[in-house]
Amino acid sequence: MSDAWNVSEAELDAFLCEWEAVDRAAAEYLAERVPGVRGSLADDDARWVGQLAETISPSEEPEEDEVEAVSAVMALQHADWLGLVLGAVRRGPGAVLDPRRVQTDVDLLDDIEGEIEDREGHLDVLEMALLHLTPLWQDLGVLDEDDRLTERGVWGLPRALHRAWSE
């Protein structure tokens, strides 16, 4: 077997430091575009935002039947989340959360380098992730029964994403 997977503690620590730096930079990017995203919250709002953040960045192992869907959520890159959330804020309550629209929102991000190389593959991952997230977000009140963003969802998504990246 190849030594390619033999990672030292120092290499792992360096990778984690880099990842945390990217999280902080993405959280800052988000905070610069959504006023009040860093503000303190009432206890009930803080708990709700925490529950929503858990759907964005799950801390527990998925159930056996959820592995593929949760993997799609975890495969979303910082730019994907920024596109999704900033697009939701821009369109506001009543907007449909749609994978193609999210992909367009990713393309519209300013100051983000790179491009989507495999657009169909990217769309497949977005679709799988949103299929998993939709019922969770409906339960939390982010989306209504018609998969449309609610006022609470538009308010909460940037706060939950910021929390996931800054804590």
Side-chain angles (χ1 to χ4, degrees):
M1 186 161 162
S2 170
D3 287 335
W5 292 99
N6 190 8
V7 179
S8 72
E9 286 291 321
E11 290 170 319
L12 180 59
D13 288 344
F15 171 80
L16 292 175
C17 283
E18 279 183 45
W19 191 263
E20 288 170 2
V22 172
D23 280 353
R24 285 190 304 274
E28 183 62 28
Y29 182 94
L30 182 63
E32 289 170 357
R33 285 153 181 82
V34 181
V37 78
R38 287 189 184 115
S40 61
L41 302 172
D43 289 345
D44 287 345
D45 287 337
R47 273 190 293 280
W48 183 82
V49 166
Q51 291 173 325
L52 182 52
E54 182 66 23
T55 68
I56 292 169
S57 182
S59 62
E60 295 187 12
E61 293 286 322
E63 297 294 322
E64 196 171 311
D65 62 334
E66 296 181 313
V67 170
E68 187 176 1
V70 172
S71 295
V73 172
M74 298 305 292
L76 297 179
Q77 301 294 311
H78 290 88
D80 299 325
W81 282 111
L82 287 167
L84 186 153
V85 169
L86 292 173
V89 168
R90 186 173 42 256
R91 280 188 294 288
V96 174
L97 192 60
D98 168 80
R100 288 195 187 281
R101 180 148 302 183
V102 171
Q103 191 174 63
T104 299
D105 291 333
V106 171
D107 290 336
L108 294 174
L109 291 172
D110 58 331
D111 302 326
I112 301 290
E113 293 180 21
E115 61 185 58
I116 301 168
E117 292 180 22
D118 175 8
R119 296 193 69 77
E120 285 305 310
H122 182 251
L123 197 58
D124 290 343
V125 171
L126 286 172
E127 188 171 326
M128 175 74 77
L130 290 176
L131 280 172
H132 175 73
L133 292 169
T134 295
L136 301 174
W137 288 0
Q138 285 173 333
D139 288 347
L140 288 169
V142 172
L143 299 172
D144 66 16
E145 63 277 352
D146 296 320
D147 300 341
R148 295 187 180 278
L149 290 158
T150 64
E151 191 172 320
R152 184 150 174 92
V154 170
W155 174 85
L157 279 170
R159 284 159 180 79
L161 187 59
H162 190 271
R163 179 175 177 164
W165 286 341
S166 60
E167 289 188 2

